[in-house]
Amino acid sequence: MKQQNIRNFSIIAHIDHGKSTLADRLLEETGALTDREKTDQFLDKMELERERGITIKAQAVCLNYRADNGQNYILNLIDTPGHVDFTYEVSRSLMACEGALLVVDASQGVEAQTLANVYLAIDADLEIVPVLNKVDLPGAEPERVKEEIEEIIGLDTSDTIAASAKEGIGIHEILESIVRKVPAPKGDPQAPLQALVFDSWYDSYQGVIVLVRIVAGTLKKGDKFLFMASRRSYEVLKLGVFAPHPLERAELQAGEVGFLIAGIKVVKDAKVGDTITHLHQPAQQALPGFKEVKPMVFSGLYPIDSSEYDLLRDALEKLQLNDSSISFEPENSVALGFGFRCGFLGLLHMEIVQERLEREFGIDLITTAPTVVYRVTTIKGEELRVDSANKLPDIQYIDCIEEPFILASIHVPNEFVGTVLALCEEKRGVQREIRYLTASRVMIVYELPLNEIVLDFYDRLKSITRGYASLDYEHLDYRPSPLLRMNVLINGDSVDALSLIVHRDKAQARGRELVAKMKEFIPRQQYVVAIQAAIGGKIIARETVKALRKDVTAKCYGGDISRKRKLLEKQKEGKKRMKQIGSVELPQEAFLAILKVK
Ligand code: GTP
């Protein structure tokens, strides 16, 4: 296909504004789906995604479209993930496109996450085609939302398309707009090869499947090629496009989008953002913007049944084949035994991984409270990365602790401004900007410690704004902070898996609330359970879970006092032993109690 007849585009939308439904309609309209497939959302591949309604894997679908002008076009739809945890992947997918549909729910309006992605698209010089979806809803306010798009994003909305992905309204118009407005790709097919990797995943039959956009040159079956960042070389075994079922091709040329298979065993070799070039006639330069994505949030994962440790390691290895952003290393806890310290892109990513481990691999887990990575300089001048409270050196060895800060953009209707500001202040935020985007919508920008966001910020934000706020963030820098380790003692024994890193000014309040929350979660047992929070040697809070008093003498009717005494002694001993080995039964909720603390 000639370059003039190719269009590469993606869909930018806030979660639930109808991206997947619209994508399916486009597939349907261009004849890419069979009747049976129409019943399902085809682009959301994993079962888990469908249940959570979140699109995680970006995919590319090649659509054949005969336009009203009588010409045939290839439209490559590149699907992007829609959550803050996956911003880098979104940016790479957008780099593979010349245009984007901006889908906005006509009954809701522009949300922070949509904005972040629109800005990414504008930075990547994409042509943006606004689409108002869900115009079938009685609450749709297309005029108001159009004004918002103009005011907030500064896009011309004069030929915005009114659509309903659900009812199939406006779909033909969208396809025509893509052909008319999105520029055709450029790039010399004879030039040295530069192909952008914008997605890759592991398939147990084929090995890693790599999605590429050929930016310059031509890639053929049998070619030997090099990943310029990972420096790994392979030979193309298969090339093709998803239409949406895989169709093999002999070559892919500049401007085209497709997949390649080369017997690659791990996703790590084919990282998103890497550039592919020919091994023997390589391009001078890699495409710009490759970034190593690093885990931001860490937590300990421990099998409840310690015999499942090997199973957990295998499962993590399998997940990592497919997701190079997960990291894990063995970790030992006195309280929980053998497990792993795992790193994730963010909280959502963490939840997804946990759920997959439990559901797909059948492993019951205890998860410890998530933490960010701190930078610690010791008095000897060593720099440490600390991703767990237990790795924090004793205070006398620490010269300085720094914590990561983010820049958060929060969009809210103006009636919630006061409560959101109060929340940000409570979370040690530094205000940057409050901007009235329209008469009724406000963007609040704060510098916040990531540590606070990781805990419960998002849930609190949603609840105080009745779900109307949206949040987006980017990483800023590291800043020195007076941070301390807080230990939690159960019946006098410090439980390593419960230790936390807290801000000095918050330690008292956090400690008190934490033990109170834990008390709610720990069921009454045969003996008293004392829960204490301590900083260094100082106890700062205490709660007690009363014993379930079982009267073991109740069954000893009659007067044999020595027998009674014997039983009582035994019970006391039992109590003591339990205390000594610290086998208090702590439920999972107790380990994550900090997430429930304000
Ligand atoms: P993520 O995959 O989570 O990013 O969401 P999405 O943007 O792909 O949204 P999805 O297509 O899953 O749609 C969200 C909900 O809106 C679903 O319940 C759809 O049925 C519904 N929906 C989508 N388009 C329309 C529409 O045009 N009108 C109405 N009334 N509902 C729609």
Side-chain angles (χ1 to χ4, degrees), residues 11 13-23 41 44 49-50 52-56 79-83 103 105 132-138 163-169:
I11 304 179
H14 188 69
I15 288 172
D16 275 350
H17 283 200
K19 185 174 72 178
S20 308
T21 313
L22 177 63
Q41 289 197 341
D44 281 359
E49 286 180 29
R50 198 164 306 157
R52 292 174 154 258
I54 295 165
T55 313
I56 295 155
D79 196 19
T80 55
H83 189 277
V103 175
D105 184 329
L132 293 182
N133 190 33
K134 307 201 188 181
V135 292
D136 60 297
L137 287 179
S164 163
K166 196 170 170 194
E167 309 280 322
I169 300 167

Side-chain angles (χ1 to χ4, degrees), residues 46-49 311 315 318-319 322 352-363:
M46 296 194 296
E47 176 204 4
L48 192 63
E49 286 180 29
L311 205 62
K318 281 213 185 89
L319 289 181
N322 219 340
I352 290 170
V353 171
Q354 281 163 14
E355 256 183 72
R356 292 189 63 183
L357 288 168
E358 299 206 331
R359 196 184 311 198
E360 291 170 32
F361 298 91
I363 305 170

Side-chain angles (χ1 to χ4, degrees), residues 171-357:
I171 307 301
H172 180 74
E173 254 181 291
I174 291 175
L175 290 166
E176 285 295 314
S177 276
I178 292 168
V179 166
R180 256 186 299 113
K181 290 169 92 181
V182 175
K186 297 193 190 81
D188 179 2
Q190 311 305 329
L193 177 68
Q194 286 176 309
L196 173 72
V197 176
F198 64 89
D199 198 5
S200 61
W201 66 91
Y202 183 80
D203 178 283
S204 40
Y205 297 104
Q206 311 272 3
V208 175
I209 299 182
V210 187
L211 290 186
V212 289
R213 157 70 196 268
I214 313 287
V215 176
T218 302
L219 183 63
K220 296 195 175 82
K221 191 170 167 173
D223 283 356
K224 292 208 166 56
F225 67 91
L226 175 74
F227 288 102
M228 295 178 85
S230 71
R231 305 305 299 171
R232 308 291 300 215
S233 61
Y234 291 93
E235 181 183 323
V236 180
L237 302 177
K238 268 186 204 168
L239 270 184
V241 297
F242 290 114
H245 300 284
L247 285 181
E248 280 198 54
R249 291 273 171 82
E251 61 172 44
L252 290 173
Q253 285 199 354
E256 292 188 298
V257 169
F259 69 85
L260 80 83
I261 291 168
I264 304 167
K265 297 279 186 300
V266 282
V267 182
K268 196 162 79 231
D269 287 359
K271 282 189 182 151
V272 169
D274 204 343
T275 302
I276 287 177
T277 193
H278 280 125
L279 187 60
H280 297 304
Q281 280 169 315
Q284 295 282 332
Q285 277 180 330
L287 296 163
F290 175 71
K291 205 166 81 180
E292 198 71 61
V293 287
K294 290 210 182 73
M296 301 304 302
V297 175
F298 289 78
S299 84
L301 300 190
Y302 292 86
I304 289 178
D305 177 352
S306 59
S307 69
E308 290 190 336
Y309 176 79
D310 288 331
L311 205 62
L312 176 58
R313 190 191 41 232
D314 291 351
L316 283 167
E317 272 167 9
K318 281 213 185 89
L319 289 181
Q320 201 180 38
L321 284 178
N322 219 340
D323 181 350
S324 55
S325 53
I326 304 176
S327 72
F328 63 94
E329 57 182 47
E331 178 179 70
N332 239 324
S333 153
V334 179
L336 297 176
F338 292 99
F340 296 92
R341 176 123 297 239
C342 303
F344 310 95
L345 296 176
L347 273 197
L348 176 83
H349 187 214
M350 177 177 117
E351 276 172 35
I352 290 170
V353 171
Q354 281 163 14
E355 256 183 72
R356 292 189 63 183
L357 288 168

Side-chain angles (χ1 to χ4, degrees), residues 9 11 18-34 36-45 50 55 61 63 77 79 101 165-166 168 171 175 244:
F9 73 104
I11 304 179
K19 185 174 72 178
S20 308
T21 313
L22 177 63
D24 278 4
R25 281 281 176 265
L26 298 177
L27 264 66
E28 220 177 280
E29 181 84 9
T30 55
L33 291 187
T34 62
R36 190 174 56 78
E37 288 163 349
K38 284 178 196 167
T39 53
D40 285 331
Q41 289 197 341
F42 194 87
L43 289 187
D44 281 359
K45 201 166 59 178
R50 198 164 306 157
T55 313
V61 186
L63 309 171
L77 164 56
D79 196 19
L101 298 177
K166 196 170 170 194
I171 307 301
L175 290 166

